[in-house]
Amino acid sequence: MPLNWVLVLTTFLFCVGVYGVLARRNAVIVLMSIEIMLNAVNLNLIAFNGALEGDRLIGQVFALFVIAIAAAELGVGLAIVLLIYRNSFTVSLDEVNLLKW
Amino acid sequence: MNLVEEWGITLAVFLPLLGAIVIVLTPKGMESIQKVLALAATGAALLVGLALTFAFEHGEPGMQFEKSLSWIPSIDSNYHVGIDGISLPLLVLSVLVCFLCIIYACWHIPEPGNAKAFLALILLLETGMNGSFIALDLVLFFVFWELVLVPMYFLIGIWGGENRQYASIKFFLYTLFGSVFMLLGFLALYFQSDPHTFDMLLLQESGVLDIPAGLASLIFGGLALGFAVKVPMWPFHTWLPDAHTQAPTIGSVLLAAVLLKMGTYGFMRIAIPILPGPAMQFAPVIAVLAAIAIVYGALCCLAQTNLKRMIAFSSVGHMGFVMLGISTMTPEGFNAAVFGMVAHGVVTGMLFFLAGSIKERYHTYEMPELAGMGLKIPKMAGLLAFCAIASLGLPGLAGFWGEVMALLASYQPLEGLDPTIFRGAMVVGAIGTVLTAGYFLWMLQRVNMGKISEKWKKVKLADVETLEYAAWLPLLALILVLGLYPRLIMDTTTSSVTALTETITGRSSGDDAHVAQVTDH
Amino acid sequence: MVTTLATAAEHGAEVAASTGAPLEMAWLIPIIPMVSAAVIWGVGKRFPKKGAEIGILAMLAVLAGALVVFFDTIGHIAADEGWHGYERAVTWMNFGPGTTLELGFKVDGLAAVLLVVVGVVATMVHLYASSYMHDEVRVTHFFASLSLFTASMLNLVLANNTIQMLVGWEGMGVCSYLLIGHWWEKHENSSAAIKAFLTTRVGDVGFMLGIFVLFWGAQSFNVGVISEMATAGDIAKGTLTVGAILLFCGAIGKSAQFPLHTWLPDAMAGPTPVSALIHAATMVVAGVYLVARMFPVFAAAAPVALEEVAIIGSITMLIAALLALVQDDLKKVLAYSTISQLGYMIAGLGVHAYTASVFHIWTHAWFKALLFLGAGSVIHAVHSNKMSDMGGLYKKMPVTSITYIIGGLALAGFPPFAGFWSKDELVLGAYTQAMEGSGAAMFTFIAMLVTAFLTALYVARMLALTFFGKPKYDEKHVHPHESPKLMIVPLMILAALAVAGGWVGLPGEMNQFGKWVHLPGSEHEPFNMMIAVVSTGAALAGFGIGWAIFRLGKVKVDLQKTALAPVYKLLVNKYYLDDIYWKFIVRPVRDRLSAAAYWINMKVLDGAVNAAGIVAVKTGDFMYRDVDQGLIDGGVNNLAGLMGLAGSKLKFWQTGNMQRYAAAMFLGVAVLVGAFVFFRI
């Protein structure tokens, strides 16, 4: 499988993720979009490893790390979303401005 | 004596720090124990200072009791300390005044109390001040220099007057502003020297520092800015009246007696010997600013009704004389500067003590309300008159020699400097002495003389008390002794300041052989 | 530099070898009153007379020491005409390498004479004051200050270098300040004290700068070294001239010369013994002493410096004498008279009459101290300073009156009283110089004669108004009586000196004073009968006119009504010459001219001094309020404000919306990637 195909796919996935992060109001969807972006990166890592390194599996190891971090991040993120929901009864990012000056 | 020679100056610096740590470890509220501890720490430092004075070879130009230990090897910064004839008087002044301040604190801890913190901060301050006078490494010097800021900030900010927040922040920021440029200067010196070094003595040797004239001027400007703010030189002085007026009595005393001297000392120890060429360029500017400061300070004093603020402004004028002496670059001028520093420390420190004690009794610094003090508390009034007259430069008292030597020296500045400017400064400075006499005498008329105001007619006020005498008598005696026997300082300083001038003439004219000869001493 | 210092040392050593013991101890003389001042301040209060006795003892010791030194000195002079004096010094300190300041003393004829003057007057004043100040406040403080003053003056007299002179000089200034303001509860008194200190300090600036100029010219502070180098021409003439003029500024201030003389009359606010000691006999002659001490410098800087001295002195003596004519305050008459006499001395120095000027210091001290102490005695009796509250005291206070009249006659310069001999020599000196073609000396000569006339005139007026005529005080409440013995005895001693004190300077072979105080180059002129007659004539005329106006003038009223009225009227009116004189000379001089002089004195000169003070305060106010607080301090505050402003605007970028942050981040990454790609880094 040519590398380019994979790259096209991952670029598409990444753009979907970026769109989700920037455009959607729902915090859960934003988190999911982040996951999509991370997975796009994972695919990239594996694809490049296959193309450039062969058997050394460096990309795969990184991908594993990313998955682990993504899981942790998702856990923390969802917890925050839950807490925000409990406090303000919304998960819309427009209405959350705790970081404002 | 070996202990003193080996570790004396280190002890003088760190004994107060040790005292501060011990005091912090004692429980709150045990005020008398804390006072005894503070007395012991500063007293020990004073004893060490006196022992150093006796062990010191007076009349030797070079550094003595030098000690160099590796400190931060990665940037080749060492714990390099030592004293010569210029730093010894200032070190002794510092330990003495600190000890007396603690005695005074035993008499009275200002509102809102908390002896533990107050005493510990003074001790910490003493460490910083003493350290600045002995450090021979730029980084070490900078650490001590900045260490001074913190306790003083808290002293003003917590125990100060009504406007203390403003004053303490202004003091901190203004001084910090200056020291940033100073630090940049230090770094530039480090990177321009070959081999890279922070050692003051090494940097003074010819060949170590080889920089283009423009950059050298820039570096000198940075250093001078840092020191000038601390001195304070006109027009960088505006923090001083506020800080002084708002600071608690002891803070004012330490500020006037020791802190200001760090600036002038910096000029003599770092800026001028390391960069003699730019120093010669800047000297006329410094002289003109000094002359302005003298007259300007006096004029501002005339406008004051607040006793403490007036004394604060008088510092601007007096430090102007010190800077005028330094700007001449001659041994006479440097001598004048060191003498002026010590004399100003003793006299103005004493004046601040008096102002503080007067406030304790009258609860105000406003001169019109103090009228007739000579009838109410005659001993206090007598001391005030004595110190005011000493401060206006009466011959036979301490204030005179610094002024007269500075003016004398500015008639004939170092060869290469334009005498016209300096003679102009001399005339202006001499006129300033008349104005100085004017405001001090006017102050005495308004405070000591006249009739007691209605408000105080029936109130009984205590005259000078025993503990106050204990804190003041050494200073009063020094005012008289320094005035009558100026050799006490001159014999120590003359050889060192002569070497300083020789460094300037040798380095700025590029006569390396001459410099080598001087450093061989 | 080193060589001149070595000369100084050798000079001292050489002299030391050739002298006896008493002079070696001369340095003790200023130490005694210094110690006594410390003792009085320390424990004086516990003594029955509150420290006065310590002061008197110290003064007696000073007097004894001064006399021993004096007689030893004249012994040396008698043995060796060329004796330079005895000088000893230790190093006080080194200003720098080779810049040595000595602490030393130098006794020569000049110093010895001054020692006696100070010793005698100080002793008399102390004795007198112990009675006069008996019931006053702060007696202890008073006597301590007097002691310290005496120490400073003696230090000035004995100093062998200029800085040490400055120390004594300023020390006197501060004691004068303390004593003028002795009754500081009253605002005028403390103001007068400040005025005195500051006005003299203005002159001191010149003195100090003069010291510096001469120091860098001669590389020494030593008076002897500077003088020798000046005489030998080793110092550039320009330097000498500038130095001399600057030094003279100090003398102008301290010796109350025009235009800085305004402080002295105000200084009369102090207790009368203070006026006698400080503002008549000793401190105010310090300026004269300074010029005399540094005379070789002035002589070498001739003609500019000396002519300036002569002219200033002449102006001073004239205007002050005129002012003395219009005073009602007895002490102010004496104060202006002092200024005028100081002008005599200064002008005398300006015309090379060196010995005569010092001689005038000597005689003036006796009669002026006497007059002041006498005035104190009178004031004590009538409780007023004003002559319009006196009159007819001759019968009530015979001793005071007789001694006072002696003093007045000596001041007016009548033979054989002390003032005559010195004044005559001064006039002669001016005449001699004038005949050699010096315009300034001619001016001085005329000024001296006019002043002699005026002096006698106001003396006559003062005596007439105070002691003669009808009592003008309130006889119901004031009962004048003779003062106590402790005040009378000093008067009598000083009166004796005011009569006989001048006889040490009799003309001809008997002149001792000319040997004591002698400067090669300023030779003593032989007695000239014509000058003596002229100057005495001027004085006599003045006194006669004064007496006629102020004592006898009242008589004419009754005689106008007789039958021979027209002739008689003419005679009584002395052919109307009196009226003419009165209208065209006396009144204009007495009322207009002197009033104008007084007006200029008070409004212009005094006003300038006051205005300078006000301007300084206003300028200080302006500098403080507008420049310092407004411009400079305001600038500092504005900088801080700018930072705050920037923060308050920029904070709106922090919306709290995470998606905007994320968008910004992506944008940033995109830009960076673009940049990397574009620049192919």
Side-chain angles (χ1 to χ4, degrees), chain C residues 564-578:
Chain C
L564 291 166
V567 181
Y568 196 72
K569 207 176 165 190
L570 192 68
L571 285 174
V572 164
N573 291 305
K574 293 167 206 155
Y575 310 105
Y576 292 98
L577 276 177
D578 253 0

Side-chain angles (χ1 to χ4, degrees), chain C residues 420-421 424-425 428 507-508 525-530 532-533:
Chain C
F420 167 73
W421 306 105
D424 180 57
E425 285 189 17
L428 178 61
E525 296 300 329
F527 185 68
N528 182 326
M529 186 51 93
M530 185 194 73
V533 168

Side-chain angles (χ1 to χ4, degrees), chain B residues 82-350:
Chain B
I83 50 177
D84 67 353
I86 299 172
S87 36
L88 178 68
L90 296 170
L91 180 66
V92 174
L93 175 74
S94 172
V95 291
L96 174 68
V97 172
C98 286
F99 179 63
L100 300 179
C101 279
I102 296 289
I103 295 182
Y104 191 80
C106 290
W107 177 71
H108 181 73
I109 302 264
E111 289 301 313
N114 194 355
K116 179 173 155 182
F118 190 69
L119 296 171
L121 283 173
I122 294 176
L123 291 175
L124 187 61
L125 185 62
E126 182 177 358
T127 294
M129 297 187 303
N130 292 353
S132 304
F133 292 133
I134 61 155
L136 293 179
D137 184 282
L138 292 177
V139 177
L140 190 63
F141 177 85
F142 190 76
V143 167
F144 283 125
W145 174 279
E146 295 291 310
L147 179 62
V148 169
L149 286 185
V150 182
M152 189 45 94
Y153 171 75
F154 285 116
L155 282 177
I156 299 173
I158 298 175
W159 288 273
E162 290 123 42
N163 210 1
R164 55 180 178 268
Q165 306 291 347
Y166 171 73
S168 56
I169 290 172
K170 192 171 177 181
F171 161 75
F172 197 98
L173 290 186
Y174 213 142
T175 322
L176 204 63
F177 163 77
S179 43
V180 166
F181 291 95
M182 188 178 83
L183 183 62
L184 287 178
F186 287 174
L187 294 177
L189 286 177
Y190 177 75
F191 288 113
Q192 292 293 328
S193 55
D194 180 35
H196 292 345
T197 178
F198 278 117
D199 193 292
M200 295 183 200
L201 299 185
L202 218 56
L203 284 167
Q204 287 178 36
E205 280 173 27
S206 57
V208 175
L209 207 56
D210 187 24
I211 30 181
L215 183 61
S217 297
L218 206 63
I219 298 175
F220 185 87
L223 296 182
L225 187 62
F227 298 137
V229 169
K230 198 86 169 184
V231 170
M233 273 169 73
W234 190 87
F236 304 112
H237 66 277
T238 50
W239 62 269
L240 177 95
D242 284 321
H244 266 311
T245 316
Q246 298 303 328
T249 303
I250 290 172
S252 306
V253 172
L254 290 172
L255 201 54
V258 191
L259 251 70
L260 305 189
K261 278 78 207 177
M262 288 163 56
T264 38
Y265 175 77
F267 273 104
M268 291 178 71
R269 169 69 65 229
I270 298 172
I272 291 173
I274 292 179
L275 296 163
M280 293 288 276
Q281 282 174 12
F282 275 85
V285 181
I286 296 176
V288 169
L289 290 181
I292 293 174
I294 293 168
V295 173
Y296 180 93
L299 289 175
C300 286
C301 283
L302 281 171
Q304 303 305 319
T305 57
N306 183 313
L307 177 61
K308 202 174 183 188
R309 203 169 169 79
M310 194 212 83
I311 300 171
F313 263 114
S314 80
S315 289
V316 176
H318 286 124
M319 294 315 278
F321 279 106
V322 173
M323 288 313 299
L324 183 60
I326 289 177
S327 70
T328 64
M329 307 280 163
T330 56
E332 288 83 6
F334 288 136
N335 253 345
V338 179
F339 198 98
M341 287 187 235
V342 176
H344 174 261
V346 173
V347 176
T348 309
M350 191 57 221

Side-chain angles (χ1 to χ4, degrees), chain A residues 18 21-25 30 37 93-94 96-97 99-101, chain C residues 651-664 666:
Chain A
V18 167
V21 166
L22 294 185
R24 302 307 295 262
R25 302 280 188 272
V30 169
M37 283 159 69
L93 290 179
D94 280 1
V96 180
N97 59 357
L99 288 177
K100 196 177 174 183
W101 50 276
Chain C
K651 72 180 177 185
F652 292 111
W653 289 18
Q654 190 182 346
T655 57
N657 189 328
M658 274 191 305
Q659 285 171 317
R660 288 198 190 178
Y661 299 169
F666 282 121

Side-chain angles (χ1 to χ4, degrees), chain A residues 3 6 41-51 59-60 63:
Chain A
L3 184 60
V6 183
V41 171
N42 282 348
L43 279 181
N44 254 7
L45 287 170
I46 292 161
F48 275 113
N49 191 69
Q60 281 82 338

Side-chain angles (χ1 to χ4, degrees), chain B residues 468-480:
Chain B
E468 289 177 294
Y469 269 131
W472 297 347
L473 275 179
L475 292 179
L476 295 170
L478 263 183
I479 291 176
L480 203 58

Side-chain angles (χ1 to χ4, degrees), chain C residues 288-635:
Chain C
V288 186
Y289 176 77
L290 171 69
V291 179
R293 192 35 106 203
M294 307 302 290
F295 197 73
V297 173
F298 284 84
V304 182
L306 274 185
E307 281 183 357
E308 184 222 3
V309 171
I311 289 167
I312 293 279
S314 305
I315 294 174
T316 308
M317 70 172 98
L318 275 175
I319 62 157
L322 285 172
L323 291 168
L325 278 174
V326 295
Q327 303 304 317
D328 185 37
D329 186 324
L330 184 57
K331 283 180 76 182
K332 286 208 173 169
V333 177
L334 293 176
Y336 281 116
S337 141
T338 305
I339 298 173
S340 174
Q341 296 300 310
L342 291 167
Y344 250 96
M345 302 172 202
I346 292 280
L349 287 169
V351 295
H352 268 287
Y354 174 81
T355 306
S357 282
V358 181
F359 190 27
H360 201 57
I361 294 180
W362 165 271
T363 58
H364 176 258
W366 310 137
F367 62 72
K368 192 49 71 64
L370 167 62
L371 285 172
F372 265 110
L373 294 183
S377 177
V378 170
I379 291 166
H380 212 247
V382 298
H383 304 295
S384 168
N385 281 7
K386 294 200 159 94
M387 289 195 285
S388 52
D389 290 338
M390 297 171 185
L393 291 171
Y394 181 72
K395 285 174 195 141
K396 308 269 185 183
M397 318 175 66
V399 182
T400 303
S401 305
I402 290 170
T403 52
Y404 197 94
I405 291 167
I406 290 173
L409 294 177
L411 168 61
F414 290 112
F417 297 106
F420 167 73
W421 306 105
S422 52
K423 192 189 66 178
D424 180 57
E425 285 189 17
L426 284 168
V427 178
L428 178 61
Y431 175 73
T432 314
Q433 286 280 310
M435 286 302 108
E436 285 171 16
S438 160
M442 182 51 101
F443 176 60
T444 306
F445 174 61
I446 295 166
M448 279 176 170
L449 286 182
V450 175
T451 310
F453 170 83
L454 292 170
T455 306
L457 193 61
Y458 68 71
V459 166
R461 174 176 177 269
M462 173 173 72
L463 295 180
L465 293 179
T466 310
F467 294 105
F468 300 97
K470 287 189 188 125
K472 284 165 284 184
Y473 47 86
D474 182 357
E475 285 180 88
K476 281 175 198 155
H477 300 295
V478 182
H479 306 286
H481 54 83
E482 193 53 88
S483 298
K485 273 221 177 77
L486 215 47
M487 285 164 69
I488 294 296
V489 172
L491 288 181
M492 294 197 284
I493 295 172
L494 286 171
L497 283 166
V499 176
W503 298 349
V504 295
L506 289 180
E509 280 308 304
M510 289 159 71
N511 190 331
Q512 292 300 309
F513 200 90
K515 288 177 191 151
W516 301 343
V517 181
H518 174 253
L519 190 76
S522 294
E523 296 304 335
H524 208 59
E525 296 300 329
F527 185 68
N528 182 326
M529 186 51 93
M530 185 194 73
I531 293 298
V533 168
V534 169
S535 70
T536 313
L540 269 174
F543 197 87
I545 292 170
W547 196 253
I549 295 166
F550 298 104
R551 173 75 185 113
L552 307 174
K554 305 226 169 196
V555 183
K556 58 190 171 190
V557 181
D558 293 322
L559 299 172
Q560 282 178 321
K561 294 170 185 170
T562 53
L564 291 166
V567 181
Y568 196 72
K569 207 176 165 190
L570 192 68
L571 285 174
V572 164
N573 291 305
K574 293 167 206 155
Y575 310 105
Y576 292 98
L577 276 177
D578 253 0
D579 280 338
I580 296 166
Y581 289 155
W582 175 254
K583 273 194 183 129
F584 296 102
I585 299 175
V586 179
R587 267 200 67 165
V589 171
R590 193 196 74 174
D591 295 346
R592 303 269 148 68
L593 201 59
S594 55
Y598 191 59
W599 184 86
I600 290 174
N601 179 62
M602 297 311 285
K603 299 283 174 184
V604 181
L605 299 177
D606 208 20
V609 173
N610 290 336
I614 292 167
V615 168
V617 172
K618 295 275 181 206
T619 318
D621 215 45
F622 168 75
M623 292 298 260
Y624 172 65
R625 250 176 254 298
D626 296 335
V627 180
D628 183 68
Q629 296 294 305
L631 201 65
I632 298 178
D633 202 22

